[in-house]
Amino acid sequence: MADSKIIVLDFGGQYANLLARRVRELGVYAEIALPDMPLEKLKEAKGVILSGSPYSIASPETPAFNPGIFASKLPILGICYGMQLIARETGGKIGKCDKKEFGKAEMTVLGESPVFMGLPEKSIVWMSHHDQVVEMPKGFEAIGTTEICKIAAMANEKEKIYGMQFHPEVAHTEFGMEIIANFVLDVCGCKKEWSMEGYLDKAIADIKQKAGGKKVLLLASGGVDSTVTLALLARALEEEKIFALHVDTGLMREGESGAVEKALGELELGQQLKVVDYSKEFFKELGKTIDPEKKREIIGRLFLDATKKEVEKLGFNENEWVLAQGTIYPDTIETARTKYSDRIKTHHNRIEEIAKLVEKGAIIEPLSELYKDEVRELGKLLGLNDELVWRQPFPGPGLGIRVLCSDGKALEKKVSAEEKKAKEIAKKHGFGACILPVKSVGVAGDLRTYRHPVLLSGELDWEKLETASIELTNSLSEINRVVFLAAPGSVKKAKAKKAFLDEKRAELCRKADSIANRIVLAKGIQAGIWQFPVILLPIDIDKKGEAIVLRPVQSKEAMTAEFYRMEPEILRQMASEIAKIKGIGAVFYDITNKPPGTIEWE
Ligand code: XMP
């Protein structure tokens, strides 16, 4: 295998592991390593990829790396921060962009570089950066350009060193896979030797070793990740050693816990399944918490507390059992559990206490290196049915992070100061605009953001709305999201409202979610939607009630996403039905891609 290995040096970018995953997708083995890896080790690879980073290349403290790499004669591909590092280390110059550039951009190919072989002259690439190369080092030429980023890609063909400001590894870069294949197979000359079957054998052996004869208790949400984990456990261990626990948090979708019990039961994997109701504890502890990170920590801890209590009831003593989770790679990277990454959000299965178990090797997480689409592939390989394999992702914290909370404070001055510019940009594209008094989490240049959305109103035209959305989030420093007013026709005043997470608000969100879900299924559009969060905002609309946000997205592995363009007639029906719910004053439609938004709002 080492014959055809690619090493990805991880500077902490959100997509470092995704780069390795893309290489594996080509059938070539790829490994992640820290950037200061010794040269002898690096030289075992046929090529090196330098990832992006949450650090600015100009900051005094950046991740340590091995400068010998640039004289190693190995082919190098630097992505985003990686490109800027190449430029800085070999005599180029870096500067700030005049405008920020997050999400979609159109790149024009220049010249005939082998890494862009087979690409059309113009194609869509995905950007996420504040800095960029403004002067190339000697020996390099520009091979790609966008409107905002003149040197979007550069190459030193003689030394086989390439830099790309955009991210070829994300599914939304139109010809990303072709570019990676050109680098890995043609420039580096790798052979295709890696497979999911090989991964399966390794995962089974790993589970056996980690369980070491103990009982294994799996937290089963009923989603694809925990179900595939269960199927793996069933392949690796004796039936009586496997226990599955489903915790009903009171923050599930309508009928979810019942459906999970049925689906897991039908699987006949031999597990002993227990469904327990902890909804009272969840509502009580979440009480008046507003900060999304605090909410996530509480939820993670409550899952663990529930597990411990149930283990006690089962009568297992401490050294007799080990915990298993269906954690996948994005959960780890977004929680900043890799050395240099920024915390975008704490996934419920990655709180501090769990991280300690991971460090000690005391937890079984056979999917922790994989992405959602790889998990689905593994699920199919294990013989799970399509219905289970293709279930829409639903986050562990459930409605806990979809019902937003607020202390009711109005917009800060520095935010309302941006409203004039927001209105100007919106008007240029034919829309009315206002900034909403609520914040949501986003991701920009590998860093977490926590900013406000702009509400646009006017005629539904997805093309124009997307252009306006991109311009607003790229131009305004307090904005990371844009929503469109789907119902009613107009809104006079959107006022911040003091509101917390309680059963009543959870029920309101659940009702809207259930209507959206029913219409999606009735119209047969579910296959085009990767995930469809429905969110409740603590905003009072013209004294009529709170606002619901519809957030259907298209994605492949959740690291990037594009908002879904729903047929106007279907959206009209959905919005008007939801707007009729007592307590709902308006329905918004999220028109933000990821980046600069995230799929969920918290
Ligand atoms: P974002 O919102 O970061 O979400 O774009 C990416 C994917 O992760 C899911 N998600 C979670 N899943 N526990 C989970 O199991 C969590 O704490 C969590 N937070 C987000 C989200 O629904 C999307 O599919």
Side-chain angles (χ1 to χ4, degrees):
M1 264 205 188
D3 264 4
S4 262
K5 179 163 82 177
I6 292 285
I7 290 182
V8 178
L9 294 183
D10 180 6
F11 289 88
Q14 288 294 307
Y15 313 129
N17 185 279
L18 192 51
L19 279 160
R21 182 246 179 290
R22 290 289 174 250
V23 176
R24 295 200 298 261
E25 206 173 306
L26 288 169
V28 173
Y29 181 63
E31 214 169 80
I32 305 262
L34 284 174
D36 54 2
M37 184 182 219
L39 213 53
E40 322 79 80
K41 279 264 158 225
L42 268 177
K43 284 195 164 165
E44 287 172 7
K46 287 239 173 199
V48 179
I49 303 182
L50 315 180
S51 82
S53 175
Y55 290 83
S56 162
I57 194 99
S59 67
E61 268 181 55
T62 49
F65 70 100
N66 188 340
I69 177 181
F70 296 109
S72 68
K73 299 281 172 211
L74 282 166
I76 299 174
L77 171 59
I79 308 294
C80 194
Y81 176 95
M83 167 180 183
Q84 296 160 17
L85 187 73
I86 293 172
R88 193 189 71 189
E89 291 302 303
T90 59
K93 272 201 189 129
I94 321 297
K96 286 257 172 250
C97 318
D98 294 340
K99 254 184 174 180
K100 296 180 286 175
E101 195 176 29
F102 299 115
K104 196 182 255 189
E106 188 181 64
M107 181 182 74
T108 305
V109 170
L110 308 170
E112 291 183 354
S113 175
V115 281
F116 286 163
M117 203 49 75
L119 260 67
E121 192 197 347
K122 289 185 189 300
S123 63
I124 297 300
V125 297
W126 224 248
M127 291 278 194
S128 193
H129 65 119
H130 301 271
D131 300 331
Q132 63 183 20
V133 174
V134 289
E135 216 178 287
M136 279 176 288
K138 237 165 104 194
F140 280 80
E141 44 185 4
I143 55 171
T145 184
T146 73
E147 197 192 325
I148 295 180
C149 186
K150 291 294 161 240
I151 310 166
M154 62 179 194
N156 181 334
E157 303 290 358
K158 195 165 146 255
E159 302 288 335
K160 297 192 177 176
I161 301 183
Y162 301 88
M164 293 172 197
Q165 185 53 62
F166 65 92
H167 292 269
E169 68 278 23
V170 307
H172 284 93
T173 289
E174 221 178 338
F175 293 93
M177 249 341 247
E178 284 78 354
I179 296 169
I180 293 171
N182 285 340
F183 177 73
V184 170
L185 303 176
D186 302 338
V187 177
C188 302
C190 287
K191 291 194 201 88
K192 300 184 172 197
E193 292 166 344
W194 192 86
S195 72
M196 192 53 94
E197 283 83 356
Y199 187 90
L200 177 61
D201 294 341
K202 190 175 148 292
I204 290 174
D206 260 16
I207 292 173
K208 283 190 180 150
Q209 191 252 329
K210 280 201 171 135
K214 292 182 185 170
K215 295 179 176 118
V216 176
L217 183 106
L218 172 80
L219 282 176
S221 70
V224 55
D225 306 339
S226 53
T227 311
V228 170
T229 307
L230 192 56
L232 273 172
L233 293 179
R235 281 267 182 114
L237 308 172
E238 298 148 38
E239 213 175 297
E240 58 276 12
K241 296 277 189 214
I242 310 168
F243 295 80
L245 181 69
H246 176 77
V247 179
D248 181 353
T249 57
L251 299 164
M252 315 297 283
R253 302 170 99 175
E254 205 167 82
E256 183 78 5
S257 283
V260 167
E261 189 167 8
K262 187 164 169 278
L264 289 179
E266 273 170 18
L267 273 180
E268 290 180 29
L269 292 170
Q271 83 283 5
Q272 300 160 61
L273 173 70
K274 202 168 170 199
V275 178
V276 288
D277 184 354
Y278 274 80
S279 51
K280 276 205 181 70
E281 284 83 348
F282 275 78
F283 281 115
K284 184 166 164 261
E285 292 273 325
L286 284 162
K288 301 210 156 150
T289 311
I290 294 166
D291 177 36
E293 272 305 283
K294 289 209 180 100
K295 278 162 103 179
R296 287 174 160 275
E297 285 286 348
I298 293 172
I299 293 169
R301 176 171 55 75
L302 287 177
F303 268 111
L304 215 53
D305 287 353
T307 310
K308 286 179 192 159
K309 276 190 199 144
E310 293 306 315
V311 162
E312 231 169 76
K313 282 189 202 158
L314 283 165
F316 300 171
N317 65 44
E318 210 188 315
N319 297 319
E320 202 189 353
W321 71 284
V322 20
L323 183 68
Q325 292 195 134
T327 312
I328 61 173
Y329 195 76
D331 304 346
T332 310
I333 181 75
E334 293 199 335
T335 312
R337 294 275 182 236
T338 62
K339 189 162 179 186
Y340 295 117
S341 58
D342 187 40
R343 178 168 302 179
I344 308 299
K345 51 185 68 169
T346 302
H347 284 240
H348 76 288
N349 45 17
R350 271 288 170 267
I351 58 164
E352 204 65 43
E353 203 174 335
I354 299 270
K356 283 191 193 139
L357 289 178
V358 175
E359 248 170 56
K360 280 199 286 183
I363 189 164
I364 297 179
E365 294 188 317
L367 310 179
S368 61
E369 299 278 301
L370 301 184
Y371 286 86
K372 196 70 136 200
D373 49 337
E374 286 181 306
V375 174
R376 290 191 161 128
E377 199 184 323
L378 192 58
K380 277 199 266 178
L381 204 63
L382 283 161
L384 298 181
N385 68 39
D386 274 4
E387 203 187 321
L388 265 172
V389 167
W390 288 105
R391 282 204 85 179
Q392 249 195 37
F394 184 67
L399 303 184
I401 52 158
R402 291 186 177 174
V403 174
L404 270 55
C405 302
S406 165
D407 53 12
K409 288 208 180 105
L411 287 181
E412 286 172 69
K413 269 210 181 89
K414 65 170 187 194
V415 183
S416 44
E418 281 203 332
E419 198 157 63
K420 194 167 154 238
K421 196 160 171 211
K423 283 187 194 298
E424 278 167 20
I425 296 174
K427 196 171 170 202
K428 200 170 74 188
H429 298 283
F431 301 106
C434 69
I435 297 180
L436 294 173
V438 66
K439 280 191 198 175
S440 76
V441 177
V443 56
D446 296 301
L447 289 163
R448 169 191 170 94
T449 61
Y450 190 48
R451 297 178 187 154
H452 293 267
V454 165
L455 169 67
L456 293 180
S457 52
E459 282 293 308
L460 195 164
D461 177 329
W462 292 133
E463 235 22 79
K464 282 192 190 156
L465 282 168
E466 183 175 52
T467 315
S469 168
I470 292 175
E471 190 172 340
L472 284 162
T473 48
N474 280 346
S475 318
L476 301 172
S477 55
E478 302 299 331
I479 302 302
N480 63 356
R481 241 178 235 276
V482 183
V483 295
F484 172 68
L485 179 64
S490 66
V491 160
K492 281 199 203 80
K493 181 122 189 88
K495 202 167 164 269
K497 177 185 163 186
K498 193 170 178 176
F500 304 106
L501 181 55
D502 53 31
E503 288 185 52
K504 211 169 135 206
R505 293 187 74 227
E507 187 53 30
L508 208 52
C509 189
R510 191 178 289 121
K511 258 192 197 154
D513 179 72
S514 151
I515 293 175
N517 206 19
R518 171 171 50 73
I519 295 179
V520 162
L521 292 176
K523 300 289 177 187
I525 54 172
Q526 64 274 26
I529 299 174
W530 195 81
Q531 189 175 6
F532 194 162
V534 171
I535 291 126
L536 182 70
L537 302 186
I539 300 181
D540 182 75
I541 307 288
D542 297 333
K543 298 196 177 140
K544 290 199 184 93
E546 298 188 34
I548 281 287
V549 181
L550 304 173
R551 174 59 169 153
V553 294
Q554 292 182 311
S555 182
K556 198 171 167 214
E557 71 307 273
M559 296 304 291
T560 54
E562 216 170 352
F563 74 84
Y564 173 76
R565 295 166 184 226
M566 192 175 283
E567 242 178 70
E569 196 37 51
I570 301 181
L571 175 55
R572 260 190 289 278
Q573 183 191 338
M574 198 179 279
S576 82
E577 253 193 68
I578 293 173
K580 279 185 201 134
I581 302 175
K582 194 164 172 270
I584 298 298
V587 180
F588 303 153
Y589 194 92
D590 194 335
I591 49 169
T592 323
N593 298 327
K594 173 182 178 176
T598 47
I599 296 176
E600 306 286 347
W601 274 48
E602 289 197 327

